[in-house]
Amino acid sequence: RKEVEQDPGPFNVPEGATVAFNCTYSNSASQSFFWYRQDCRKEPKLLMSVYSSGNEDGRFTAQLNRASQYISLLIRDSKLSDSATYLCAVTPQAGTALIFGKGTTLSVSS
Amino acid sequence: DTGVSQDPRHKITKRGQNVTFRCDPISEHNRLYWYRQTLGQGPEFLTYFQNEAQLEKSRLLSDRFSAERPKGSFSTLEIQRTEQGDSAMYLCASSPKKTSGGFEQFFGPGTRLTVL
């Protein structure tokens, strides 16, 4: 079993749709969780950290389920500019190496 | 621009040559990380530093790879006797010293290495 797994997609959705991505992790001791966005041939950009209580930033909502060992990202009212690859990342200990999934590709069309 | 910077942005080399990449972290970030990313994969951890101390190295970091951060500021990653399998994007990230929280990592634009 891979340490961090994501559905690679692609997810093809129309503008305005709501889309959700899940990411599972194998190490139950993982402490920190993140979602990154990566555009083609660019570096990953931090989208949001994921906290135990869940957190929201505008149209984006992140949730953590420690019991089932997964994190999720919900994007509401999708925009064309949301088209990208979304990477989840976890760390076994805060400040150490990020372990990434392969990423989920989102394509938003008009 | 006060983000992480990397140099060069692109490097083409012949198999067997040595290459060196540089990373300048965000000012006052004490942790610096190196990752490698190939097409269709997420970034894979190589090594990281806290100040000048190299605290962890991945099994991916073979003997041909060496990284330094001599003064706790910029870092270099050297690959000796490059192989075609070394072709990848080499990403550097930095994170601030925090007493709590997730130590968010911020990435530079990467160095794209092509080994012919």
Side-chain angles (χ1 to χ4, degrees):
Chain A
R1 180 183 175 186
K2 293 189 183 298
E3 291 190 77
V4 178
E5 293 198 73
Q6 296 182 250
D7 181 344
F11 284 61
N12 297 305
V13 302
E15 276 186 291
T18 296
V19 62
F21 307 136
N22 282 340
C23 168
T24 58
Y25 59 94
S26 60
N27 185 350
S28 60
S30 296
Q31 293 193 5
S32 301
F33 309 88
F34 306 93
W35 283 102
Y36 282 81
R37 171 199 169 118
Q38 187 170 31
D39 293 295
C40 188
R41 300 180 73 82
K42 300 286 190 180
E43 75 274 22
K45 291 189 185 297
L46 181 64
L47 185 62
M48 54 201 308
S49 303
V50 187
Y51 304 119
S52 296
S53 56
N55 45 303
E56 185 175 311
D57 183 2
R59 297 181 293 109
F60 299 84
T61 301
Q63 297 277 354
L64 167 63
N65 185 319
R66 285 190 183 272
S68 300
Q69 294 180 212
Y70 77 82
I71 62 174
S72 63
L73 178 69
L74 183 76
I75 306 176
R76 290 181 299 278
D77 189 23
S78 299
K79 311 291 185 190
L80 293 175
S81 58
D82 293 334
S83 297
T85 296
Y86 291 83
L87 296 159
C88 70
V90 305
T91 60
Q93 183 178 351
T96 61
L98 288 172
I99 303 169
F100 283 89
K102 289 187 176 183
T104 297
T105 300
L106 172 66
S107 178
V108 181
S109 57
S110 57
Chain B
D1 187 349
T2 57
V4 178
S5 61
Q6 293 187 245
D7 183 69
R9 297 288 303 276
H10 303 274
K11 179 70 178 179
I12 300 174
T13 191
K14 292 182 179 179
R15 189 179 52 175
Q17 298 295 305
N18 299 344
V19 294
T20 300
F21 309 142
R22 175 178 170 127
C23 171
D24 287 87
I26 295 171
S27 179
E28 298 183 356
H29 278 197
N30 70 330
R31 294 192 180 211
L32 185 150
Y33 309 79
W34 285 100
Y35 294 84
R36 180 174 69 185
Q37 186 176 25
T38 53
L39 195 64
Q41 304 294 318
E44 295 176 297
F45 169 73
L46 293 177
T47 187
Y48 90 93
F49 296 83
Q50 179 170 297
N51 300 313
E52 65 275 8
Q54 189 172 19
L55 296 189
E56 187 178 352
K57 291 193 291 187
S58 162
R59 292 188 306 275
L60 291 175
L61 211 66
S62 76
D63 291 345
R64 298 184 297 104
F65 288 69
S66 62
E68 294 184 339
R69 194 183 183 197
K71 298 183 179 179
S73 56
F74 72 91
S75 175
T76 58
L77 177 68
E78 181 183 17
I79 309 174
Q80 296 182 326
R81 305 181 303 282
T82 52
E83 301 173 356
Q84 288 185 324
D86 297 332
S87 295
M89 174 79 91
Y90 289 83
L91 293 160
C92 176
S94 69
S95 69
K97 179 179 179 181
K98 294 177 71 170
T99 55
S100 63
F103 288 88
E104 289 86 356
Q105 296 183 25
F106 300 91
F107 284 82
T111 294
R112 186 169 297 279
L113 173 66
T114 302
V115 182
L116 302 176

